Amino acid sequence: TQLLEQSPQFLSIQEGENLTVYCNSSSVFSSLQWYRQEPGEGPVLLVTVVTGGEVKKLKRLTFQFGDARKDSSLHITAAQPGDTGLYLCAGARTGNQFYFGTGTSLTVIP
Amino acid sequence: NAGVTQTPKFQVLKTGQSMTLQCAQDMNHEYMSWYRQDPGMGLRLIHYSVGAGITDQGEVPNGYNVSRSTTEDFPLRLLSAAPSQTSVYFCASRNTGGHGYTFGSGTRLTVV
């Protein structure tokens, strides 16, 4: 059983559309991270959120940490082909363990 | 800075063979981890280390050994390869208390 569930698992959209990816758990995390991974490469950190209710923006990407620190969302505005990739969330619990979600594979069609 | 360097990039093993996946980082990070990535399962933690001489097990440690003799290096050893160990392996490092991992580019391992 995965500690962090992401939805949807796959997403294919047209360039210019908006989308939201969800990362959900029944556990509380001290912080949550979002990564993007391209084929043949390792994940690259996009953002870390720490405080419940926190919202961070990175250009067209908006990240939100749930008030109870159990879930997070990633919203992309006006998606571009360069946004194509695998999006992973990762939650930190007490100690040194980070738990990764199952991933959302995004394809943006030109 | 090279970041996290993993070798080899690709490897094919026969069942029962042993091998070592190499990982080195040049950022003086205390914390290093090994993950395996399988379709639909995300990244699962195999072993991790919080500093030289200290290692611990993650979620899926069976069939793997690690050691951390220096801050820079964290090799992963497969003792007797099995087809179930076919996967993409990632090494990652971060500062203790730091929020983000730096990942290597991965090793794609196939066991036949």
Side-chain angles (χ1 to χ4, degrees):
Chain A
T1 304
Q2 292 287 132
L3 198 61
L4 281 164
E5 296 287 343
Q6 288 186 237
S7 61
Q9 187 175 0
F10 299 97
L11 190 55
S12 181
I13 62 171
Q14 295 291 132
E15 181 176 0
E17 292 183 346
N18 302 331
L19 67 113
T20 302
V21 174
Y22 299 93
C23 174
N24 295 305
S25 177
S26 58
S27 299
V28 176
F29 297 99
S30 58
S31 67
L32 196 135
Q33 303 167 359
W34 284 92
Y35 294 79
R36 181 169 68 213
Q37 183 180 19
E38 299 190 10
E41 298 295 328
V44 175
L45 180 68
L46 296 174
V47 77
T48 299
V49 285
V50 178
T51 306
E54 182 176 2
V55 177
K56 280 193 175 179
K57 292 191 175 184
L58 185 65
K59 297 184 180 178
R60 295 174 293 100
L61 279 61
T62 301
F63 306 85
Q64 184 163 9
F65 202 11
D67 290 342
R69 291 186 288 132
K70 293 182 179 181
D71 53 78
S72 181
S73 63
L74 158 61
H75 182 79
I76 301 179
T77 304
Q80 299 178 358
D83 296 327
T84 293
L86 178 68
Y87 289 81
L88 294 159
C89 63
R93 302 188 72 186
T94 55
N96 291 301
Q97 295 265 16
F98 277 70
Y99 296 88
F100 279 81
T102 47
T104 294
S105 180
L106 171 65
T107 301
V108 181
I109 303 165
Chain B
N1 285 343
V4 178
T5 303
Q6 287 184 241
T7 56
K9 185 77 171 174
F10 301 94
Q11 183 71 49
V12 178
L13 288 178
K14 294 183 178 180
T15 297
Q17 285 185 320
S18 63
M19 79 159 294
T20 299
L21 278 62
Q22 302 292 343
C23 176
Q25 55 94 6
D26 60 1
M27 298 169 286
N28 203 32
H29 285 170
E30 299 97 336
Y31 192 86
M32 297 185 74
S33 303
W34 277 102
Y35 288 88
R36 58 178 289 172
Q37 187 173 35
D38 302 291
M41 311 249 341
L43 288 159
R44 292 182 293 169
L45 182 65
I46 304 171
H47 285 285
Y48 66 97
S49 168
V50 300
I54 306 169
T55 63
D56 206 347
Q57 297 180 350
E59 303 169 67
V60 289
N62 292 339
Y64 307 96
N65 273 356
V66 292
S67 60
R68 184 94 179 270
S69 57
T70 66
T71 299
E72 294 78 19
D73 299 298
F74 191 43
L76 178 71
R77 282 182 286 276
L78 278 70
L79 308 173
S80 178
S84 61
Q85 293 179 305
T86 293
S87 187
V88 181
Y89 291 84
F90 287 99
C91 179
S93 73
R94 63 179 176 86
N95 278 323
T96 302
H99 294 300
Y101 275 115
T102 300
F103 279 84
S105 57
T107 295
R108 182 173 293 276
L109 175 68
T110 302
V111 183
V112 298

